Amino acid sequence: IQAFKNSVGKFPPDKPPLQTRVTARHDGGGYRLENVVFQVRPQYWMAANLYLPAKSEQPAPAIVIVHSQHYPKTQGELHDMGELWARTGAAVLVIERPGYGERTETTPWYRQGYGSRFNFTKQLFLVGESYSGWAAWDVIRSVDFLHERPDIDKNRIILLGSVAGGGEIAGVAAALDPR
């Protein structure tokens, strides 16, 4: 396991306070949506969409979704999953990977995540870090975010990785975090 941890860079990195901020709220048919940001590394922030049941008497189970390499968290099917599962009583956190959407490192264009991720990965390699390690740490901090919420059942959190790259990040995070 130590060799695996060494391959993802400095692990674990510093864990600053999350300093969570809700940037927008929306009430939908049977669900609520919160657009959130929280600090995953010092001065480095995660953007995510949190879908919650419209009404809940008890803490909800939660699902963390890591999007694919093709598009950011704005993919329609991710919102469909968030809305659907929130209506059935689960919380769904759709996170934004480094180099995508609101966390892009380049000028946005069609499928800009590929170029942004490439540039970001080169920068990380220069300082002995890896994209997989950073993205996995984001997932771990996403679980920390859910653990801080009283409306989430901390013992019922699962992780899903979207096809075409989301599963890799989910697998690395699961190997590094025993929760």
Side-chain angles (χ1 to χ4, degrees):
I1 266 287
Q2 191 56 44
F4 176 69
K5 285 183 178 179
N6 290 343
S7 73
V8 296
K10 179 185 172 200
F11 194 88
D14 294 334
K15 197 182 249 193
L18 291 169
Q19 298 183 36
T20 302
R21 298 177 189 148
V22 177
T23 60
R25 287 186 169 87
H26 170 76
D27 289 324
Y31 73 94
R32 295 177 294 130
L33 170 62
E34 293 182 359
N35 295 29
V36 297
V37 294
F38 49 90
Q39 190 173 210
V40 292
R41 292 174 182 259
Q43 298 301 310
Y44 192 72
W45 298 80
M46 158 75 72
N49 296 330
L50 177 62
Y51 295 85
L52 297 161
K55 295 182 177 126
S56 183
E57 300 294 321
Q58 57 193 6
I63 304 165
V64 178
I65 299 178
V66 182
H67 67 76
S68 72
Q69 292 179 0
H70 301 308
Y71 297 106
K73 68 177 172 48
T74 56
Q75 294 175 64
E77 72 248 14
L78 301 178
H79 294 280
D80 291 345
M81 288 188 281
E83 292 173 14
L84 238 132
W85 288 331
R87 287 183 183 122
T88 66
V92 180
L93 183 66
V94 181
I95 65 173
E96 188 83 272
R97 290 172 53 174
Y100 289 83
E102 295 160 303
R103 300 175 84 196
T104 190
E105 296 288 320
T106 58
T107 304
W109 69 87
Y110 177 70
R111 288 190 156 183
Q112 53 77 23
Y114 289 105
S116 178
R117 189 179 68 250
F118 176 78
N119 291 339
F120 189 53
T121 298
K122 288 194 318 186
Q123 293 168 357
L124 289 172
F125 282 157
L126 286 172
V127 295
E129 296 282 345
S130 76
Y131 181 85
S132 293
W134 274 58
W137 184 249
D138 284 354
V139 172
I140 291 167
R141 294 296 284 161
S142 297
V143 174
D144 292 343
F145 162 76
L146 292 172
H147 272 238
E148 284 192 357
R149 293 187 60 105
D151 54 351
I152 302 297
D153 183 342
K154 294 157 192 52
N155 296 314
R156 296 192 300 161
I157 299 173
I158 65 169
L159 175 60
L160 296 177
S162 292
V163 65
E168 170 201 337
I169 301 306
V172 172
L176 294 171
D177 187 345
R179 294 178 288 180

